[in-house]
Amino acid sequence: MKQSGIHRKRQSGIFRRVYLGHLTASFAVLAIMSVFFVFAIRSAITRWNKNETADIEQMLMPVISKVHRLDGGLDASTLESALLPYITDSLYVYVFDRDKHPVLLLNRGQRVSQKEVEKQVGSMQTFLALNSPSQIKDGDETVGYLSVDSVDFLAYRTNREFVSNIKKAVAAGAAGAVFIALCISAFISSSYSKQATSLVKEITDFSDGNRHIKFTHSATTEFDMLVRSEEKLQKQLWKEEALRRQWMQDISHDLRTPVTAVKVQLEAMGDGVLDCSTARLENLLGEIVNIEKLVNNLHELIRYESPEMVIRPVCIDPGVFISDIQERFGFLAEQKRLRYHCTSSVTGFFAADEFLLQRCVSNIVQNALQYTAPGGCILVTLERTGDRRADGRQNIRIEVRNTGSLTPKDKEHVFDRLYRGDSSRREGGTGLGLSIAKAIMDLHHGSISAENRDGNVCLCMEFPFQPVPEETAGTE
């Protein structure tokens, strides 16, 4: 019930956040559209007023010019008689002479005095300064000035009804848009919430130990990426748990056999069934040594695979390094009647953890000694590859080649922990040597591989080449 409550909180959280996000975006868009609409209406009304004034001026200018030509001047009574047929109760017509003195002032079809006009608009000089009148010309001569204006667009009832209807239509459209946005937001939010709820439940079951969860794929890219990552993790855990179980079984088997042998013999000697001879004690000591070797190798492998393990690179002389490998196993190879040779073509020093690198190569050479039949050959080569990596660096390659071949099964499991081929089992190998070598290559950010080539088994180690000046050789 507690876990279900957590699920509900998560569901509520993602639903609420996505829903409010969509809702906020919808209202933001609506607010922006409203501002643009109001601006557009006001701009249209302003343009209408300007165009109306310009049309009236173009209509009255010829009439005033004609009066001037016929009378030889601008007479108020004559102008009033000539203009009244063109004037409606929405027009303001002010006619001035050349000096901008009022000649005729008509407000909505009625003649008014200058004082009456100034009561409404203020000082006439101020009015003319703010509303520059248009010139009245008779040919090329300026005979007077005309100032025309009409009432505002919204002063007409028809126009007000038109604007009101537009506002109602826009308001209805906005309400419908908000409703649709709410429905779409609810649908999308609910979809995301269901996907998130399903994924959380599957991950929770998976974390509780259920390794057979079938994850539900989603049409949402991010959720689907999470599902694929979980599936990848699921497969990796299956593999790791299978390896862990197999490893524990192998360790139990490899420890139980020698421990049981030692225990049985010691009990038999204690009961007097077996005599306590030197040969039997040496045999028991050998079994204990094998147990100790297995435990030590396990300890080293765990340490090398630990995230806290840090290598300590030093300057390595390739010639000295390969000579040490030659001397270390030369006598054993001679005893087994094997041809054994080590060569290096690397010039200059390179950086690596010398102790771990020696351990890595030694484990592989020991493995070759176990698997190579008498009369065979083991060749160890140290070289610098010419293949450049993505970061522009080169590699150090160490290859151990021995006569023989790997079976498909051996090739697949050669670096698995506690895996031993038949020869290794006969000679008492622990099955950890190559696993340790792989762990050491991982610490050096390198790789190790095994293959059959020209009648030989080739184990190849590669790691980044880091050149080191000769004068720093031997220093950490």
Side-chain angles (χ1 to χ4, degrees), residues 397 399 401-402 404 451-460:
R397 176 184 291 169
E399 184 176 272
R401 182 184 307 178
N402 65 281
E451 63 177 345
N452 295 318
R453 188 196 310 157
D454 301 328
N456 294 285
V457 176
C458 299
L459 274 78
C460 180

Side-chain angles (χ1 to χ4, degrees), residues 243-291:
L243 288 174
R244 178 175 57 83
R245 287 192 296 269
Q246 184 62 44
W247 193 17
M248 294 304 298
Q249 292 174 3
D250 291 342
I251 292 175
S252 300
H253 176 270
D254 287 358
L255 286 176
R256 186 186 300 111
T257 300
V259 168
T260 301
V262 171
K263 178 183 177 182
V264 169
Q265 293 187 60
L266 288 176
E267 288 177 348
M269 285 189 291
D271 294 339
V273 176
L274 296 176
D275 58 332
C276 188
S277 63
T278 301
R280 184 166 284 109
L281 290 175
E282 290 178 351
N283 182 53
L284 291 175
L285 179 60
E287 293 290 350
I288 293 175
V289 168
N290 287 336
I291 296 173

Side-chain angles (χ1 to χ4, degrees), residues 206-219:
F206 185 62
S207 65
D208 289 340
N210 187 351
R211 295 293 181 262
H212 299 282
I213 294 293
K214 186 174 181 180
F215 291 95
T216 305
H217 285 265
S218 170

Side-chain angles (χ1 to χ4, degrees), residues 7-36:
H7 287 169
R8 283 194 295 272
K9 288 181 181 179
R10 289 175 179 171
Q11 292 174 25
S12 176
I14 192 171
F15 178 85
R16 183 172 60 253
R17 293 189 180 207
V18 175
Y19 186 75
L20 290 179
H22 285 191
L23 193 59
T24 301
S26 300
F27 277 111
V29 171
L30 185 61
I32 294 172
M33 290 179 63
S34 299
V35 171
F36 277 105

Side-chain angles (χ1 to χ4, degrees), residues 186-197:
F187 174 76
I188 295 176
S189 302
S190 177
S191 175
Y192 285 163
S193 177
K194 289 178 181 178
Q195 294 176 39
T197 301

Side-chain angles (χ1 to χ4, degrees), residues 59 115 117 119 161 168 182 217 325:
M59 179 180 64
K115 291 183 179 180
V117 173
K119 288 181 181 180
E161 291 179 353
K168 291 178 181 179
L182 291 175
H217 285 265
I325 297 297

Side-chain angles (χ1 to χ4, degrees), residues 195-405:
Q195 294 176 39
T197 301
S198 176
L199 184 58
V200 168
K201 182 179 182 302
E202 291 166 353
I203 293 176
T204 302
D205 291 343
F206 185 62
S207 65
D208 289 340
N210 187 351
R211 295 293 181 262
H212 299 282
I213 294 293
K214 186 174 181 180
F215 291 95
T216 305
H217 285 265
S218 170
T220 305
T221 302
E222 288 75 9
F223 285 139
D224 195 58
M225 290 173 63
L226 286 174
V227 170
R228 294 183 185 279
S229 298
E230 289 298 326
E231 289 178 338
K232 184 177 180 180
L233 176 61
Q234 185 182 48
K235 292 178 181 178
Q236 186 65 28
L237 286 176
W238 280 343
K239 181 180 179 180
E240 291 294 331
E241 290 177 354
L243 288 174
R244 178 175 57 83
R245 287 192 296 269
Q246 184 62 44
W247 193 17
M248 294 304 298
Q249 292 174 3
D250 291 342
I251 292 175
S252 300
H253 176 270
D254 287 358
L255 286 176
R256 186 186 300 111
T257 300
V259 168
T260 301
V262 171
K263 178 183 177 182
V264 169
Q265 293 187 60
L266 288 176
E267 288 177 348
M269 285 189 291
D271 294 339
V273 176
L274 296 176
D275 58 332
C276 188
S277 63
T278 301
R280 184 166 284 109
L281 290 175
E282 290 178 351
N283 182 53
L284 291 175
L285 179 60
E287 293 290 350
I288 293 175
V289 168
N290 287 336
I291 296 173
E292 182 183 27
K293 183 179 179 181
L294 175 61
V295 172
N296 288 338
N297 284 340
L298 284 171
H299 174 73
E300 289 188 6
L301 179 59
I302 292 172
R303 184 164 64 91
Y304 294 157
E305 292 182 340
S306 170
E308 292 80 18
M309 179 65 184
V310 179
I311 63 173
R312 300 181 181 276
V314 297
C315 301
I316 297 178
D317 186 331
V320 174
F321 180 85
I322 208 70
S323 296
D324 290 343
I325 297 297
Q326 175 75 40
E327 293 178 5
R328 183 176 300 177
F329 299 101
F331 181 71
L332 291 176
E334 185 179 347
Q335 282 186 324
K336 293 195 67 173
R337 301 190 303 278
L338 300 174
R339 287 171 291 155
Y340 176 65
H341 189 57
C342 300
T343 62
S344 171
S345 61
V346 178
T347 57
F349 293 80
F350 64 91
D353 191 311
E354 187 171 15
F355 173 77
L356 293 182
L357 192 60
Q358 286 276 6
R359 178 65 191 277
C360 177
V361 177
S362 297
N363 283 1
I364 294 178
V365 173
Q366 286 176 338
N367 183 79
L369 288 171
Q370 286 182 331
Y371 279 85
T372 306
C377 176
I378 299 177
L379 177 63
V380 181
T381 58
L382 173 62
E383 61 183 353
R384 181 166 41 167
T385 64
D387 299 331
R388 292 196 171 271
R389 294 155 52 89
D391 54 10
R393 298 180 180 178
Q394 293 178 302
N395 287 348
I396 289 291
R397 176 184 291 169
I398 305 175
E399 184 176 272
V400 179
R401 182 184 307 178
N402 65 281
T403 305
S405 64

